[in-house]
Amino acid sequence: MTNTHHYILTWQCPDTSGVLAKVSQSLFQHGAFITETSQYSDPYTDTFFSRIAFDDRELTVSFEEFSQAIELLAKPLNMNYQLREKANFPNVVIAVSKDDHCLVSLLTKWKAGVLPVNIVAITSNHQDCQALAQWHNVPFHHLPVNKDNKAQQEQALLDIYQQYNGDLLVLARYMQILSDELCNSLRGQAINIHHSFLPSFKGAKPYHQAHKRGVKIIGATAHYVTAVLDEGPIIVQEVKPINHAFTIEQMVHLGHDLEATALCHAVKMHAEQRICINKDKTVILN
């Protein structure tokens, strides 16, 4: 099976009787060998979600012909779908500011081969992470920003994303608020990470605020970016219990670990096409 190619089909459509059977029958008719399947029917939105992994060991048509068959099937079902070869990893552009803990984790897991993406570029409004990017041989773009050049800087970021044929923008502790226009243009293509103290402890020094109030849980949330700040569809949440003995510094360090873990997990699931956006939340197809 050394020449076998593996594919992923992730799809969603209005939930009606027989939708899974129709898609499965099409795969069977064309010889697709299903190796993994997951599905969910949401009773609140009347939407059906599914992820099917298959290979071409018994495929009776070319992949191009198979793709056309799925396209013809999708129209009457009002189906939104993504179909790609598993080995065709998505291109990821990372935006970062000064803190490098999330960037380090992403780069390390990518180099180790456990993060199925191509990290094609790193952008930053500071130069603190430039040496790290260069050490990993990833192009680094310094895009300084101030109140006068915000629009131009953001356009430069979008230009870089398009130049590298980006499939996903990862905000790895990028401490800039994206405009509504950019958020909307990258809907479903941008992931952010933040500490879990929002919305209770906003603004500067959230860990100091949380420590003062004696919180008992610390965590991080990875979510898709929307025009509503830090309120996009949640992908992953990581939490750890703490107690009164934790110092502010210990809370910050633990928070950074959780941020890196949550962000890498979210990027991995996105790359594996396990996430469907379901209005204001997500469906995770494991």
Side-chain angles (χ1 to χ4, degrees), residues 8 51 82 84-92 105-120 167-168 170 263-274:
I8 304 171
R51 178 185 184 272
Q82 182 181 3
R84 68 172 177 87
E85 186 171 354
K86 186 177 181 181
N88 184 19
F89 294 162
N91 292 331
V92 169
S105 187
L106 288 165
L107 290 170
T108 300
K109 291 183 181 296
W110 168 57
K111 284 290 188 178
V114 297
L115 199 60
V117 300
N118 298 317
I119 297 180
V120 293
D167 298 300
L168 179 67
V170 178
L263 185 59
C264 287
H265 191 190
V267 171
K268 185 174 188 289
M269 287 196 298
H270 178 96
E272 293 176 344
Q273 291 179 215
R274 296 187 183 276

Side-chain angles (χ1 to χ4, degrees), residues 7 10 26 49 52 87 112 137 140 143-144 241 284:
Y7 302 92
T10 303
S26 180
F49 304 87
I52 300 175
N137 199 30
F140 181 87
L143 303 176
I284 309 297

Side-chain angles (χ1 to χ4, degrees), residues 42-98:
D42 187 346
Y44 299 101
T45 61
D46 292 322
T47 306
F48 189 84
F49 304 87
S50 179
R51 178 185 184 272
I52 300 175
F54 64 95
D55 63 46
D56 64 355
R57 73 183 82 173
E58 297 178 0
L59 207 64
T60 57
V61 295
S62 68
F63 180 68
E64 290 71 22
E65 291 175 288
F66 180 84
S67 300
Q68 293 172 3
I70 295 297
E71 177 66 21
L72 289 174
L73 179 66
K75 291 180 180 179
L77 294 178
N78 195 19
M79 183 173 90
N80 293 320
Y81 72 94
Q82 182 181 3
L83 172 64
R84 68 172 177 87
E85 186 171 354
K86 186 177 181 181
N88 184 19
F89 294 162
N91 292 331
V92 169
V93 175
I94 301 174
V96 63
S97 289
K98 291 185 176 182

Side-chain angles (χ1 to χ4, degrees), residues 71-261:
E71 177 66 21
L72 289 174
L73 179 66
K75 291 180 180 179
L77 294 178
N78 195 19
M79 183 173 90
N80 293 320
Y81 72 94
Q82 182 181 3
L83 172 64
R84 68 172 177 87
E85 186 171 354
K86 186 177 181 181
N88 184 19
F89 294 162
N91 292 331
V92 169
V93 175
I94 301 174
V96 63
S97 289
K98 291 185 176 182
D99 289 335
D100 64 2
H101 54 283
C102 288
L103 177 62
V104 167
S105 187
L106 288 165
L107 290 170
T108 300
K109 291 183 181 296
W110 168 57
K111 284 290 188 178
V114 297
L115 199 60
V117 300
N118 298 317
I119 297 180
V120 293
I122 296 170
T123 72
S124 180
N125 54 323
H126 299 279
Q127 293 180 291
D128 299 60
C129 296
Q130 184 169 2
L132 179 62
Q134 292 173 339
W135 191 83
H136 284 277
N137 199 30
V138 178
F140 181 87
H141 298 268
H142 180 216
L143 303 176
V145 63
N146 55 56
K147 62 182 178 62
D148 297 320
N149 76 336
K150 177 72 174 177
Q152 294 87 340
Q153 189 262 9
E154 198 171 77
Q155 182 59 52
L157 173 60
L158 183 59
D159 290 343
I160 289 169
Y161 182 77
Q162 294 172 341
Q163 173 191 340
Y164 287 94
N165 297 313
D167 298 300
L168 179 67
L169 175 67
V170 178
L171 307 182
R173 294 288 292 174
Y174 181 62
M175 307 306 290
Q176 293 291 317
I177 298 174
L178 302 185
S179 69
D180 292 357
E181 293 77 16
L182 184 57
C183 290
N184 291 329
S185 66
L186 293 178
R187 184 180 184 275
Q189 298 180 53
I191 293 176
N192 191 21
I193 185 74
H194 63 74
H195 58 78
S196 65
F197 297 138
L198 294 173
S200 298
F201 307 114
K202 296 182 179 180
K205 297 186 176 180
Y207 287 94
H208 291 69
Q209 299 177 53
H211 182 269
K212 186 177 180 180
R213 291 290 299 276
V215 300
K216 298 298 185 280
I217 294 177
I218 192 171
T221 297
H223 62 92
Y224 284 112
V225 174
T226 63
V228 182
L229 182 63
D230 291 330
E231 293 187 21
I234 294 170
I235 304 170
V236 175
Q237 291 179 298
E238 295 283 343
V239 295
K240 290 286 186 181
I242 61 173
N243 58 39
H244 60 275
F246 273 67
T247 66
I248 296 172
E249 290 74 20
Q250 289 173 324
M251 289 174 61
V252 170
H253 292 156
L254 179 57
H256 284 182
D257 288 344
L258 294 172
E259 287 171 1
T261 298

Side-chain angles (χ1 to χ4, degrees), residues 11 16-29 70 73 76-77 79:
W11 54 280
T16 58
S17 178
V19 290
L20 180 59
K22 291 176 182 178
V23 175
S24 300
Q25 182 65 20
S26 180
L27 267 67
F28 173 74
Q29 288 177 342
I70 295 297
L73 179 66
L77 294 178
M79 183 173 90

